[in-house]
C-alpha cells in the first residue's frame, strides 16, 4: 500500500511538471498580474551581502515583506536569524551562483544551491527559548534574494504540486525545471534574458522571478489560464 501511494504521488507530480510549461502569453499575463508592466523594484535589484550585519537585518525585513512572518528580536535578546544567516553565509558564500542566471546553471551549481537551501532551512529563528527552523519557503526566498537571476523560489503549494515534497532534492528538481523552462523560452524567442523580460512586460525582472510569478498564480492561487 505504501509503495502504491508513493508511486501515485510521483506520477501526479510528474504529470504536473509535464503539463506546467508556460507559453509566452501565459507568462505575459503572469507578469502583468504582478507588475502592471512596471520594471523591477530598486529594492529587489539592490545587492545584499549577508557578511554585513546591516544587510542581514535588511534580509529579515525583506523576508517579512514577502509574508514570512519571522519574529524580530527583543532588546537585549540574541538575534538567532542574524547569527544563523551569518554562519550559514560563511559556509556557503563561495559555492552559490550569486551572479549567475537560471538558464545557465550547471548541475553542480544546482546541487550547491540545494545544499545551501537544506542548511539554510535548518537555521534557528524566533525566540531563543522557543526557536524553530527558518523552513523551506523562507529559505527559498532568501536564496532568491541573494541569487535573484539564478534561483527560482517556491512556497508550499508550488513545491507539493510540482514535486510532492519540500526537501533539498525537490528544490534541486525545481531549479532544473526552471532552467528547462528558461532555456526553452530563450531559444523560442531568440532573445537574451533582459530582452525577454522587456518583451513580457517586466523590464528588469529576472526569468527566475517571472517563472515564479507564473508558478505562484497557477499552483498557489490556482489561476485558470
Amino acid at each position: 500500500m505504501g509503495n502504491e501511494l508513493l508511486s501515485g504521488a510521483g506520477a501526479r507530480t510528474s504529470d504536473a511538471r509535464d503539463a506546467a510549461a508556460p507559453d509566452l502569453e501565459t507568462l505575459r499575463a503572469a507578469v502583468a498580474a504582478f507588475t502592471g508592466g512596471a520594471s523591477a523594484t530598486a529594492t529587489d535589484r539592490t545587492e545584499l551581502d549577508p557578511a554585513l550585519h546591516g544587510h542581514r537585518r535588511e534580509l529579515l525585513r525583506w523576508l517579512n515583506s514577502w509574508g514570512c512572518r519571522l519574529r524580530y528580536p527583543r532588546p537585549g535578546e540574541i538575534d538567532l536569524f542574524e547569527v544563523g544567516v551569518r554562519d550559514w553565509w560563511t559556509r556557503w558564500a563561495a559555492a552559490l551562483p550569486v551572479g549567475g542566471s537560471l538558464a545557465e546553471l550547471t548541475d553542480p551549481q544546482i546541487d550547491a544551491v540545494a545544499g545551501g537551501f537544506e542548511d539554510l532551512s535548518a537555521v534557528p529563528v524566533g525566540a531563543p527559548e522557543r526557536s524553530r527552523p527558518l523552513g523551506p519557503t523562507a529559505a527559498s526566498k532568501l536564496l532568491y534574494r541573494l541569487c535573484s537571476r539564478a534561483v527560482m523560489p517556491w512556497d508550499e503549494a508550488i513545491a507539493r504540486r510540482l514535486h510532492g515534497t519540500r526537501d533539498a532534492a525537490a528544490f534541486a528538481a525545481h531549479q532544473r525545471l526552471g532552467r528547462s523552462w528558461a532555456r526553452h523560452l530563450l531559444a523560442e524567442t531568440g532573445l537574451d534574458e533582459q530582452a525577454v523580460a522587456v518583451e513580457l512586460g517586466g523590464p528588469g525582472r529576472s526569468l527566475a522571478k517571472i517563472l515564479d510569478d507564473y508558478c505562484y498564480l497557477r499552483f498557489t492561487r490556482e489561476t485558470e489560464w
Side-chain angles (χ1 to χ4, degrees):
M1 177 67 74
N3 289 337
E4 290 174 4
L5 289 174
L6 290 172
S7 176
R12 287 193 297 275
T13 55
S14 178
D15 290 345
R17 289 193 295 268
D18 291 344
D23 58 26
L24 283 170
E25 293 309 310
T26 299
L27 289 176
R28 186 174 286 109
V31 170
F34 276 91
T35 70
S39 61
T41 66
T43 299
D44 284 354
R45 290 199 305 266
T46 303
E47 291 186 5
L48 294 176
D49 181 357
L52 303 176
H53 169 74
H55 287 207
R56 293 192 295 273
R57 295 302 299 269
E58 179 57 33
L59 279 170
L60 178 57
R61 287 191 289 268
W62 182 86
L63 284 171
N64 281 334
S65 77
W66 269 40
C68 289
R69 299 180 181 179
L70 300 173
R71 180 181 179 275
Y72 292 102
R74 305 291 189 264
E77 186 178 80
I78 186 171
D79 188 338
L80 295 181
F81 176 89
E82 201 272 344
V83 172
V85 169
R86 178 199 66 196
D87 294 346
W88 169 82
W89 186 244
T90 299
R91 295 190 294 272
W92 288 97
L96 297 175
V98 173
S101 68
L102 183 61
E104 296 174 354
L105 286 182
T106 65
D107 285 336
Q109 285 176 319
I110 289 176
D111 291 341
V113 166
F117 162 82
E118 183 174 43
D119 193 12
L120 183 59
S121 296
V123 164
V125 295
E129 67 277 9
R130 298 188 307 277
S131 67
R132 66 172 180 83
L134 180 63
T137 295
S140 80
K141 292 178 179 181
L142 194 153
L143 276 166
Y144 158 74
R145 184 64 182 82
L146 299 176
C147 310
S148 61
R149 293 181 59 234
V151 172
M152 193 165 67
W154 65 13
D155 60 21
E156 183 170 7
I158 293 168
R160 296 201 182 280
R161 291 282 299 278
L162 283 173
H163 309 289
T165 187
R166 296 193 292 167
D167 61 13
F171 196 64
H174 196 55
Q175 306 317 307
R176 290 188 171 89
L177 181 63
R179 179 180 65 181
S180 175
W181 289 348
R183 288 177 175 177
H184 177 78
L185 188 61
L186 295 174
E188 181 182 9
T189 61
L191 301 173
D192 63 21
E193 181 170 338
Q194 290 182 336
V196 168
V198 171
E199 171 66 22
L200 294 175
R205 213 166 181 82
S206 70
L207 285 186
K209 188 65 186 76
I210 288 171
L211 292 169
D212 175 60
D213 294 341
Y214 159 73
C215 285
Y216 176 79
L217 290 171
R218 176 161 185 180
F219 298 111
T220 304
R221 297 281 298 275
E222 297 186 334
T223 301
E224 295 293 336
W225 301 98

